[in-house]
Amino acid sequence: KKTSDAVSESIGDVMAAFVKVDEDLLEELEEAMILADLGASTASRAVDELRDRAKHQHINTKEELRDVLCDILSEMMQEDSALDISKKPAVILVIGVNGVGKTTTIGKLAASYTAQGMRVMLSAADTFRAAAADQLEIWAQRAGADIVRHGEGADPAAVVFDSIAAAKARNCDVIIVDTAGRLHNKANLMNELNKIDRVITRELPDSSRETLLVLDATTGQNAVSQAEQFNKVAKLTGIVLTKLDGTAKGGIVVAISAGLGVPVKYVGVGEGIDDLMPFERAAFVEALLP
Ligand code: GDP
């Protein structure tokens, strides 16, 4: 609701004044989409597609325009797909810079699995800050998950190794690994992630794997550039966009899914344990457009 309010000030105004699809409308719409955080290239692609469709399709009412736009934006995004945790113990590697809501997301995700009767192991491989493991431990308690942590400055790959051993011994279904996302030192980050990756591949060659990037939706286009940078150092399988309950303009979700080619898997809509929603592109776009 907040997302659609924020967007409707602009895209809504353009649609409310709709008469016909012409160059003026396309230009105004493109501008409104950029204001709504869709990003310049996504907005331009969407408008080009609308111009194209208007040649073959009757778009005479505001409702018809809305339907076509929903269709276009939805199709530009990656198809919906749930996390694959079928081959157990599945490993979910979670990356992202400090403050985006990584720990909170891990806690919420763990809670959703334990609520389904699964056994979850959290792996505190962000050994850069002691506070990170402390926070994760609080979430492990809340979610009813197990946790493996070492001291500050420990080797993250060693934490992951021990987490896997403990998860095997306790018959866990899912291991969720918290990592230190220090983007300012990309070579280090890449080495660290590679090392973790080798440990997982060696110890759990047949397990399902996911690599999720957590992004803060309130940072707008900055989230897009973070996503681009992380996409270069890790093979991302999904995105989680947090803080969509705030004043964020939801267009950022479209920009990332369409621009990066990585599906959005979940959105965070609050600080509570239940405030994580599986992402559905059609429903999201419906809510985005007034
Ligand atoms: P980390 O440093 O990436 O691990 O970030 P944290 O998980 O510690 O979260 C940073 C802050 O963002 C905390 O105050 C969280 O409560 C808050 N937060 C995380 N996710 C959400 C969300 O979806 N909505 C809102 N409003 N706040 C969130």
Side-chain angles (χ1 to χ4, degrees):
K1 170 86 174 52
K2 276 200 182 121
T3 293
S4 89
D5 280 353
V7 172
S8 65
E9 281 170 26
S10 35
I11 298 183
D13 291 348
V14 178
M15 285 173 59
F18 171 73
V19 185
K20 63 176 191 296
V21 178
D22 57 13
E23 283 309 311
D24 279 350
L25 173 94
L26 292 169
E27 194 177 310
E28 281 168 25
L29 209 50
E30 184 167 354
E31 215 164 282
M33 283 179 173
I34 292 171
L35 279 176
D37 257 347
L38 269 101
S41 72
T42 311
S44 145
R45 270 175 61 200
V47 162
D48 285 347
E49 179 68 24
L50 177 60
R51 182 186 291 110
D52 230 41
R53 292 203 191 186
K55 285 178 195 153
H56 316 285
Q57 202 173 336
H58 288 291
I59 307 174
N60 297 324
T61 64
K62 182 180 175 252
E63 287 67 37
E64 283 167 355
L65 174 66
R66 185 177 184 277
D67 286 349
V68 175
L69 272 179
C70 276
D71 211 41
I72 290 173
L73 293 179
S74 183
E75 274 179 19
M76 282 173 77
M77 288 198 252
Q78 297 293 302
E79 246 175 89
D80 296 341
S81 59
L83 292 187
D84 177 14
I85 54 158
S86 56
K87 295 189 198 115
K88 309 209 159 152
V91 184
I92 305 171
L93 197 65
V94 184
I95 62 183
V97 302
N98 290 339
V100 292
K102 197 155 43 96
T103 315
T104 308
T105 299
I106 292 172
K108 292 170 178 175
L109 203 54
S112 82
Y113 289 136
T114 55
Q116 295 169 52
M118 288 186 233
R119 186 140 193 188
V120 179
M121 171 66 66
L122 300 188
S123 179
D126 178 356
T127 57
F128 200 62
R129 302 171 302 153
D134 292 344
Q135 274 304 112
L136 199 66
E137 189 142 18
I138 294 169
W139 274 106
Q141 277 166 14
R142 259 184 221 158
D146 292 353
I147 181 169
V148 165
R149 62 179 293 187
H150 290 187
E152 191 174 344
D155 178 3
V159 179
V160 173
F161 181 89
D162 283 356
S163 310
I164 292 173
K168 282 179 179 169
R170 296 177 211 175
N171 219 355
C172 290
D173 300 287
V174 187
I175 305 169
I176 310 179
V177 182
D178 184 22
T179 63
R182 285 162 289 143
L183 249 193
H184 56 271
N185 194 335
K186 267 198 237 168
N188 268 1
L189 178 65
M190 207 185 289
N191 283 341
E192 195 169 299
L193 293 176
N194 281 340
K195 206 168 157 197
I196 291 174
D197 184 68
R198 282 198 298 276
V199 170
I200 300 171
T201 306
R202 193 176 65 225
E203 300 302 315
L204 295 171
D206 301 319
S207 283
S208 302
R209 298 273 300 269
E210 294 277 356
T211 301
L212 293 183
L213 174 64
V214 181
L215 297 169
D216 178 341
T218 62
T219 62
Q221 294 304 306
N222 195 14
V224 178
S225 83
Q226 265 176 32
E228 283 164 353
Q229 294 186 62
F230 271 107
N231 205 23
K232 285 182 195 144
V233 294
K235 200 169 159 288
L236 304 177
T237 60
I239 305 249
V240 180
L241 266 149
T242 62
K243 309 186 194 181
L244 268 172
D245 51 308
T247 54
K249 295 176 262 174
I252 196 71
V253 178
V254 186
I256 285 171
S257 184
L260 211 67
V262 179
V264 176
K265 300 278 188 179
Y266 285 96
V267 292
V269 292
E271 300 184 83
I273 201 159
D274 295 323
D275 296 327
L276 188 71
M277 289 166 58
F279 181 73
E280 291 170 44
R281 61 179 183 171
F284 186 82
V285 167
E286 284 283 336
L288 188 68
L289 297 177

